[in-house]
């Protein structure tokens, strides 16, 4: 064992939590991991950490719940497979214990990553059995590597999902952006292993946990993306990206998208590179596509989304000195539509309906409209956020974040236009 592992400033190994990829990450470059069913973790950035610890109470309903800090490290076996593990910080016994771990995966389930492929391997059999099948796995690795490289290069991707059983259980490996972020994060950690193998991560609410088939839209908000501390080169690069995208014109651009197309049984992914190329009309069409399930426009979602966007705009208009540079806005809903059930249905009918709805190949039937609470709108990513509470900042802004609010108003206008054109 290397000195880095022997000197980790963490609690005993028995308290470690094995981390998995968060497969519903559709944008951003920071690696997001699944701590348990309701909690995610991402690398701690001091500015973002400070934001979550000081944000105004009225903004909390529009941000993920902050749950604390953990220490994350990785271990590597003889085959260069890596697994990420979260520990409570030394002397901070509550960091992990405050989180409900009852829904964590069994300890025998290890997240395995290699330099060439992504594999989630459940070790439910003796090591001898694993060794016997290692040769077969290596033969598969080349094909997986080629597929992954193709996925990373695809800006818009349609992936067919088998219409058998529970769709949500089939979403585990298909998000190319999530795969890319995890591979890059682990490579960085591996390269620094000789000097460092302990990283602080913050724990945040998993906003997708209550949805069976999460449809996620990641929107980069505002007319400016660089922070006040950005270098001239970085600022120029971000200004160029804004000028060449819809950010400069309407204050918002697509940073990532994941949509389930019920009509075809496909998942559609759109990454940030495609989002940057969209015109204003293309942005509107992408938004329309996000709310379309392949059979029809999900009109029942538009009203609740507009309500939450309007509420968020009013909250931000009351905030003084905040600037949310490079922050994103998530819109989330369930791609799984639940059959409409009559109030006088008996238990046998409900049981039959439950069995039918579990089979995605079942024929079309009436669907009940979603409630307002079934759609979520949240701000995320605050690595470049600033306000007068951040005492060390050299620049203190006055008034509202006009660029972000401008983007929100543009979004409200476009969703309203889609709603009116669809006959809402």
């Amino acid at each position: 064992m290397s000195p880095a592992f022997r000197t980790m400033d963490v609690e005993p190994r028995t308290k470690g939590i094995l981390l998995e990829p968060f497969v519903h990450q559709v944008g951003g470059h920071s690696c997001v991991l699944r701590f348990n069913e309701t909690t995610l973790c991402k690398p701690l950035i001091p500015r973002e950490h400070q934001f979550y610890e000081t944000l105004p109470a009225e903004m909390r309903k529009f941000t993920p719940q902050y749950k604390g800090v953990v220490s994350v490290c990785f271990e590597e076996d003889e085959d260069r497979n890596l697994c990420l593990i979260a520990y409570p910080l030394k002397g901070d016994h509550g960091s992990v214990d405050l989180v409900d771990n009852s829904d964590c995966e069994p300890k025998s389930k290890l997240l395995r990553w290699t330099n060439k492929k992504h594999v989630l391997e459940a070790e439910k059999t003796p090591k001898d059995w694993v060794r016997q099948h290692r040769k077969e796995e290596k033969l598969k690795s080349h094909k997986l590597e080629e597929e992954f490289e193709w996925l990373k290069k695809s800006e818009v991707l349609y992936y067919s999902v088998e219409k058998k059983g529970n769709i949500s259980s089939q979403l585990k490996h298909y998000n190319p952006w999530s795969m890319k972020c995890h591979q890059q994060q682990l490579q960085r950690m591996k390269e620094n292993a000789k000097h460092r193998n302990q990283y602080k991560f913050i724990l945040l609410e998993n906003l997708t946990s209550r949805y069976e088939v999460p449809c996620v839209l990641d929107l980069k908000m505002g007319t400016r993306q660089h922070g006040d501390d950005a270098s001239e080169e970085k600022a120029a690069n971000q200004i160029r990206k804004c000028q060449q995208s819809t950010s400069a014109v309407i204050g918002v651009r697509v940073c990532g998208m994941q949509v389930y197309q019920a009509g075809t049984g496909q998942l559609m992914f759109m990454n940030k590179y495609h989002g940057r190329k969209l015109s204003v009309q293309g942005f509107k069409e992408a938004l329309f596509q996000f709310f379309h399930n392949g059979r029809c426009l999900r009109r029942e979602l538009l009203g609740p989304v507009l309500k939450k966007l309007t509420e968020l705009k009013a909250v931000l208009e009351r905030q003084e000195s905040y600037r949310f540079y490079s922050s994103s806005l998530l819109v989330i809903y369930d791609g799984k539509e639940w059959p409409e059930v009559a109030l006088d249905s008996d238990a046998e009918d409900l049981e039959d309906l439950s069995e039918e709805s579990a089979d995605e190949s079942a024929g079309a039937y009436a669907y009940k409209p979603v409630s307002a609470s079934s759609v979520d709108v949240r701000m995320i990513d605050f690595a470049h956020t600033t306000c007068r509470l951040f005492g060390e900042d050299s620049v203190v802004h006055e008034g509202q974040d006009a660029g972000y609010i401008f983007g929100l108003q543009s979004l409200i206008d476009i969703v309203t236009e889609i709603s009116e054109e669809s006959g809402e």
Side-chain angles (χ1 to χ4, degrees), residues 373-420:
S373 63
S374 296
V375 181
D376 215 345
V377 173
R378 304 284 187 106
M379 300 173 69
I380 62 167
D381 296 341
F382 304 102
H384 302 287
T385 291
T386 180
C387 78
R388 62 167 60 113
L389 297 177
F390 297 6
E392 297 181 358
D393 288 358
S394 58
V395 180
V396 178
H397 299 272
E398 297 295 332
Q400 309 167 342
D401 187 340
Y404 196 111
I405 294 171
F406 172 60
L408 272 178
Q409 186 58 56
S410 297
L411 195 55
I412 291 170
D413 293 343
I414 292 173
V415 175
T416 299
E417 187 178 346
I418 291 173
S419 177
E420 292 173 350

Side-chain angles (χ1 to χ4, degrees), residues 20 40 56 59 64 73 118 137 150 163 241 304 307 317-318 338 367 372 419:
E20 296 184 4
L40 305 176
M59 285 188 63
C73 63
H118 164 249
E137 292 299 318
W150 176 72
K163 291 189 173 184
K241 289 177 183 177
K307 182 175 184 294
E317 287 173 340
R318 292 192 290 270
W338 298 96
Y367 292 96
S419 177

